[in-house]
Amino acid sequence: MITPEFYDNLTPSEAVALQKELREKIDCTPLTTPVRYIGGADISFNKFETTVYAGIVVLKYPEMVVQAHASVTCTVQFPYISGLLAFREVPALLKAWDALTLKPDILVLDGHGIAHPRRLGIATHFGLIMNQPTIGCAKTRLTGVYQEPGNHRFDQAPLFDKQEQIGTVLRTKPNCNPVFVSPGNRVGMDQSLEIITRCCGKYRIPEPTRLAHMLVNQERVKGSR
DNA sequence: GCGACAG
DNA sequence: ATCTTGTCGC
């Protein structure tokens, strides 16, 4: 069992090696059990500080009504390095997950799933070590090529790496930049898009991640005073 | 060598 | 990610 402590004293080089090992275990088989609860996870922190606030919000699916939430605060040592985001944020998220009284059927992470150079975005990483269905929903591209989707709600375009589709670029709201949706683990490509689409309200960011972001920001303001 | 580069 | 009010555009 991987605990938050497992990540202590891990070097970037070792992190990349671990990603290459985990890559073999990725499972993008569509989830067959019903999704009744969906979670949104995110972290927040003050610039130049090592204290991070992690939180997870659980909502009824597809009604998008909040059912539960948990947030924790802890310190991180691993720096932000593009491609290694999971090693900075997952430890804190694991603690928030433990504190959750109601575990969601699927979790949406603020970042990519398999739309990553080694297919190990934060959503895939979390999903693999927790054997939990996950979806990655990032605000900007990390890797891959795509054609800009139309400017209407839910217009979309596949995100490719070579010949392989690694995600979908989704316009969740007109006149707003699209979001990047990709399977994390134990969920299919089309299924992840379908689920995220149903989580969209009147904002660019889907409800699970949007509410998690608001939660951790409030915790940060509270905690840093 | 140069540009790109989730949060 | 975070620092931050008003303001331009759909």
Side-chain angles (χ1 to χ4, degrees):
Chain A
M1 180 60 185
I2 295 183
T3 63
E5 294 69 50
F6 172 81
Y7 293 86
D8 292 345
N9 309 313
L10 201 57
T11 68
S13 172
E14 296 171 327
V16 172
L18 178 57
Q19 291 184 322
K20 291 178 179 175
E21 280 182 38
L22 290 176
R23 177 172 186 165
E24 308 306 316
K25 303 178 180 178
I26 299 174
D27 172 18
C28 287
T29 299
L31 184 62
T32 55
T33 55
V35 176
R36 296 194 178 80
Y37 299 103
I38 188 166
D42 193 18
I43 75 164
S44 177
F45 58 89
N46 287 310
K47 200 174 183 179
F48 305 131
E49 289 183 14
T50 58
T51 299
V52 299
Y53 302 82
I56 296 178
V57 175
V58 179
L59 2 191
K60 184 79 182 70
Y61 178 90
E63 295 80 2
M64 295 295 104
V65 176
V66 178
Q67 303 289 307
H69 62 79
S71 57
V72 299
T73 169
C74 56
T75 62
V76 294
Q77 293 303 319
F78 206 91
Y80 167 70
I81 298 175
S82 180
L84 300 180
L85 176 66
F87 296 89
R88 175 176 170 74
E89 304 196 347
V90 166
L93 290 178
L94 289 178
K95 293 181 178 178
W97 178 266
D98 279 343
L100 219 47
T101 53
L102 172 63
K103 313 294 191 198
D105 300 308
I106 191 164
L107 182 68
V108 183
L109 288 286
D110 187 17
H112 293 98
I114 62 171
H116 175 284
R118 291 173 292 281
R119 304 294 175 271
L120 266 140
I122 187 170
T124 303
H125 188 115
F126 186 100
L128 280 175
I129 66 173
M130 292 303 289
N131 185 33
Q132 161 70 27
T134 58
I135 295 175
C137 184
K139 295 179 290 299
T140 61
R141 184 198 78 104
L142 206 207
T143 191
V145 296
Y146 65 96
Q147 300 237 314
E148 191 70 22
N151 193 32
H152 292 102
R153 185 158 130 112
F154 300 147
D155 274 349
Q156 54 187 272
L159 176 63
F160 290 108
D161 183 352
K162 301 297 170 55
Q163 290 289 60
E164 174 189 12
Q165 182 177 359
I166 56 176
T168 304
V169 184
L170 176 69
R171 182 87 61 189
T172 55
K173 180 178 178 178
N175 307 310
C176 284
N177 291 322
V179 296
F180 299 72
V181 182
S182 60
N185 190 51
R186 294 181 54 189
V187 64
M189 179 69 68
D190 297 334
Q191 188 176 42
S192 56
L193 178 64
E194 163 81 20
I195 293 174
I196 289 298
T197 295
R198 295 195 183 187
C199 287
C200 290
K202 54 183 295 189
Y203 304 95
R204 174 169 86 116
I205 305 303
E207 293 302 286
T209 298
R210 189 180 74 82
L211 294 176
H213 190 269
M214 293 186 77
L215 169 67
V216 294
N217 264 323
Q218 294 185 308
E219 290 303 312
R220 177 171 59 83
V221 173
K222 243 191 283 179
S224 58
R225 60 173 180 173

